[in-house]
Amino acid sequence: MPENLPPIDRDNNDPNGKFKARNWQKKDVKKMHPQLRSKYLAYEDPAKEITEAQSVTNKRLLDRKRNEIRLNAPLPDEEYEEREKHAKLIGQLKAAESRNRLRIMRLRYQSNRSQEISHLIACQPTAARAVRLQALVPSYAERRQRKDTLDKLSRERCERLLEDSQGLLVNRMH
């Protein structure tokens, strides 16, 4: 170590740099630098109010832990089955409510649509245009059954026409 440098300033003038707690007066502690004060106060016993608060907090934490253990205890089989039934019933009720909401929304949409179309038909300048619009755009959607409308012979004819790649069945030259 060079001779011309000042010695390293260590806390409490300890050559090893370790902190040694002393019995300082309160006024001396207040005058200390914040880092030195925090080191000193870390080794001091906490005040009476703090120890009481710590004991109350520890007691509250123990009570809470006991309550959590008691509440998280495994349920008897009967109560578990009852809860499962209840959850299933709640799920069914929610599904029924959802279906009902969808049905009501669909009916409201159809009603609004039919009212709008009826209004458009009523606002046509001539009766012929109103009849034409009513024929093209019905106010209520017709329920069409999705079954096959072709009989057996018509179906065979359609299939033959679709399979005719050269157009021999439909091309007629005069």
Side-chain angles (χ1 to χ4, degrees), residues 47-159:
K48 184 178 179 182
E49 300 91 24
I50 295 174
T51 55
E52 289 174 1
Q54 285 176 342
S55 65
V56 169
T57 303
N58 286 335
K59 183 179 178 186
R60 189 178 69 238
L61 289 173
L62 286 174
D63 290 342
R64 180 181 280 183
K65 190 173 184 179
R66 284 189 210 122
N67 285 338
E68 285 182 12
I69 290 172
R70 185 176 49 86
L71 292 175
N72 292 335
L75 298 173
D77 290 338
E78 299 153 355
E79 189 174 342
Y80 181 75
E81 290 173 3
E82 186 67 29
R83 285 189 180 187
E84 288 292 321
K85 287 180 185 177
H86 188 266
K88 187 175 182 181
L89 178 65
I90 295 295
Q92 291 172 349
L93 288 173
K94 286 182 178 181
E97 286 177 4
S98 176
R99 282 192 303 271
N100 192 32
R101 277 195 308 272
L102 286 174
R103 184 182 62 81
I104 289 171
M105 285 175 57
R106 194 176 300 119
L107 288 173
R108 186 179 300 135
Y109 167 76
Q110 289 173 351
S111 173
N112 289 340
R113 181 181 180 273
S114 67
Q115 286 177 0
E116 186 68 26
I117 292 173
S118 298
H119 178 70
L120 286 173
I121 291 171
C123 291
Q124 292 300 310
T126 62
R129 286 187 179 183
V131 170
R132 186 180 307 134
L133 183 61
Q134 189 173 10
L136 291 175
V137 184
S139 58
Y140 285 100
E142 297 174 9
R143 297 260 176 176
R144 295 183 185 169
Q145 295 179 357
R146 295 186 180 184
K147 62 181 183 180
D148 192 9
T149 57
L150 296 176
D151 61 349
K152 191 173 183 180
L153 290 174
S154 299
R155 171 141 323 271
E156 288 177 6
R157 171 94 174 120
C158 286
E159 287 176 1

Side-chain angles (χ1 to χ4, degrees), residues 38-50:
S38 67
K39 286 182 182 180
Y40 174 76
L41 293 177
Y43 291 102
E44 285 288 312
D45 290 331
K48 184 178 179 182
E49 300 91 24
I50 295 174

